[in-house]
Amino acid sequence: MSTAELMSWLCVPAAERFPYDAVLRGYHSVGKHFVPTDTLELLDQARAVLPRLGGPWPPVRVLAAFLDCALDKLDNRYDYPTYLALRLLELPVIDDPIEQALFARSRCDRRTVQLLADVLAFELAAIQDRATLLPTMRPPRNVVDKRIRHGLRAIQPALTRLALDRGLTDDEPVNRAQQVSALVHADMSFAERRALELSILPVYTMHDEYLFLRVLQTFETTFTLLAMHLRGAVAALAASDVSRAVYFISNSTTALREAAPLLSMLATMQIESFRTFRQFTEGASAIQSRSYKLVESLCRRPDAERVDSPAYHSVPEVRGRILAGGECTLDDAYTGASRSGDIAGSELARLAEVMANFSAALLRWRTTHYRLAVRMLGGASGTGYTEGTPYLAASRTIPVFTTVEPMGNVAPGNPIVV
């Protein structure tokens, strides 16, 4: 990219006038891993002036979040959250007031449909020869058609809950995907559109990395929802409100099942393409997912050896919460409810049933994730300095709860449809 826009901005800096489009063009033309040093140095100077910027706070916050993600490799702190630009997506966080748990689903549904509609739009632009972004190794048309079908399956439940499917009239997948993308885009605010644009900072120029980023961001949205709902269930049981706890846990199970088509969508990545761009993602790995570890540790306290393993050393803030103690898990809450004598046996049985269903759904998700990793990685090591598929193989059978057995036979996992 030309650095003129950045140099001009630094002369009279204002968050509202930051040259996002020029910077994004530069990043997208080569990939984050290959951005020229002079561009990075100017962006670093832009970051240095942030504390002195006046004007409204929201544009400053967005610019700070963008620069945090754009400069992670320069700072040698590149990791999974910055690769996925999670700060820009502004998902719920675990320390939000517990009262907000009831609203987490609509908030996460909204982000889910935006992410998936955007990747559908990207794939449509590619097959219609309208795309210049990430031009390397475009997939063949039959592969894109599969992606679109899986994406439509994944997005439909949230579209329905948000009443954004009322304008969908075409059942042919490509035409329906065009309608979905247009409807969701029209429903978004300027701030939402800008956040979505800024949250795509691929490391290289491979077409498939766009899909990879958007699907992982959607998974983070799903596990964020799960964490909020599990907290809500724990709080409900503390108040002996079994119905509300059942509501939160059942919704969590539904969210996991609705996310299953995303793994099939991800399985359409071209293996050569994936193995090419992942060379430049070293340091970032899903083992660093805070939301996933929060879900795991809200179900039950992890065993000591797991807390002391790379799984939790990779998420030090979550590990710190566990070591600090005092946070009630769903396992704890179920045990307390069972011993209190305040809850009828039929209510406890209903609670145990929904917990067992959730456990089965999470174990199936782990198994399917493992199978996908084997398909894409083979015996290669993982990024983020992990050992790859052996790590997933060892962790996929860790019990979700100690108090409740999973419902039914969960060993096979969900099928990966490609």
Side-chain angles (χ1 to χ4, degrees):
M1 66 170 285
S2 167
T3 57
E5 293 94 337
L6 276 171
M7 294 174 69
S8 176
W9 183 85
L10 284 166
C11 292
V12 189
E16 300 92 332
R17 294 190 303 100
F18 187 79
Y20 286 116
D21 293 340
V23 174
L24 286 175
R25 282 196 302 272
Y27 269 68
H28 292 165
S29 66
V30 294
K32 186 196 283 191
H33 192 78
F34 299 97
V35 174
T37 302
D38 58 348
T39 299
L40 295 175
E41 289 174 346
L42 288 171
L43 289 172
D44 195 27
Q45 291 178 41
R47 179 173 56 181
V49 306
L50 286 178
R52 302 196 299 274
L53 292 183
W57 167 243
V60 177
R61 182 186 68 233
V62 171
L63 180 54
F66 174 72
L67 293 176
D68 178 69
C69 299
L71 293 171
D72 53 358
K73 286 193 174 246
L74 177 70
D75 296 341
N76 292 316
R77 54 175 179 78
Y78 171 74
D79 63 7
Y80 193 66
T82 60
Y83 176 52
L84 298 186
L86 295 181
R87 279 186 62 189
L88 285 159
L89 297 181
E90 296 189 338
L91 300 172
V93 296
I94 195 66
D95 292 320
D96 284 347
I98 193 63
E99 293 78 14
Q100 293 186 16
L102 280 171
F103 308 102
R105 182 159 203 169
S106 59
R107 186 175 170 185
C108 290
D109 275 351
R110 189 167 181 83
R111 185 57 80 193
T112 292
V113 300
Q114 291 168 0
L115 292 166
L116 294 180
D118 181 69
V119 76
L120 288 173
F122 176 72
E123 297 293 346
L124 289 169
I127 62 174
Q128 295 165 358
D129 294 324
R130 295 184 290 106
T132 57
L133 178 62
L134 307 188
T136 310
M137 283 192 69
R138 297 269 194 231
R141 175 61 188 265
N142 65 315
V143 171
V144 176
D145 287 343
K146 290 176 184 177
R147 288 181 185 176
I148 288 172
R149 289 197 298 272
H150 292 315
L152 289 172
R153 286 174 54 217
I155 200 172
Q156 185 60 49
L159 277 177
T160 301
R161 285 191 292 269
L162 295 172
L164 288 175
D165 62 341
R166 294 174 182 172
L168 300 180
T169 58
D170 202 314
D171 291 330
E172 193 281 324
V174 169
N175 294 338
R176 189 175 182 86
Q178 289 174 328
Q179 290 184 331
V180 166
S181 299
L183 284 167
V184 173
H185 188 266
D187 181 67
M188 293 168 64
S189 68
F190 172 80
E192 288 172 325
R193 292 175 189 170
R194 177 59 86 186
L196 214 60
E197 293 167 358
L198 300 182
S199 64
I200 282 286
L201 290 174
V203 293
Y204 194 39
T205 60
M206 310 299 288
H207 175 100
D208 283 0
E209 192 177 358
Y210 201 105
L211 171 71
F212 187 67
L213 282 164
R214 287 303 191 218
V215 169
L216 294 188
Q217 289 167 337
T218 307
F219 275 133
E220 284 298 305
T221 304
T222 296
F223 279 96
T224 295
L225 172 64
L226 265 54
M228 294 295 291
H229 275 188
L230 293 177
R231 276 189 72 219
V234 170
L237 288 177
S240 298
D241 189 343
V242 175
S243 293
R244 178 168 290 199
V246 165
Y247 165 83
F248 281 128
I249 301 167
S250 297
N251 273 351
S252 297
T253 303
T254 298
L256 273 176
R257 290 172 176 165
E258 289 176 357
L262 293 175
L263 288 168
S264 293
M265 196 179 187
L266 206 56
T268 66
M269 281 195 304
Q270 302 162 101
I271 293 176
E272 182 184 351
S273 175
F274 173 70
R275 292 182 180 177
T276 299
F277 73 73
R278 75 180 294 274
Q279 297 175 70
F280 311 115
T281 63
E282 188 62 63
S285 168
I287 197 175
Q288 299 159 343
S289 171
R290 279 79 161 162
S291 60
Y292 179 85
K293 294 303 192 316
L294 282 169
V295 168
E296 180 181 286
S297 60
L298 281 166
C299 289
R300 69 177 181 94
R301 183 181 174 89
D303 298 332
E305 59 269 24
R306 183 152 171 82
V307 174
D308 287 331
S309 74
Y312 279 89
H313 280 288
S314 298
V315 284
E317 63 271 44
V318 181
R319 184 172 184 268
R321 295 174 73 101
I322 295 169
L323 294 177
E327 188 158 28
C328 187
T329 68
L330 195 50
D331 238 8
D332 298 331
Y334 177 80
T335 299
S338 301
R339 293 174 177 173
S340 69
D342 298 331
I343 299 175
S346 59
E347 290 287 275
L348 281 174
R350 187 162 67 115
L351 177 61
E353 181 181 0
V354 296
M355 288 175 63
N357 285 332
F358 175 77
S359 176
L362 184 54
L363 289 170
R364 287 192 184 98
W365 187 92
R366 289 180 190 168
T367 298
T368 309
H369 181 214
Y370 166 72
R371 290 172 56 207
L372 177 60
V374 170
R375 171 188 171 87
M376 302 305 297
L377 286 172
S381 61
T383 54
Y385 317 111
T386 66
E387 56 185 5
T389 51
Y391 165 78
L392 294 175
S395 61
R396 64 182 168 140
T397 56
I398 295 173
V400 177
F401 302 112
T402 60
T403 53
V404 174
E405 292 291 327
M407 183 70 71
N409 180 12
V410 299
N414 298 311
I416 299 177
V417 181
V418 295

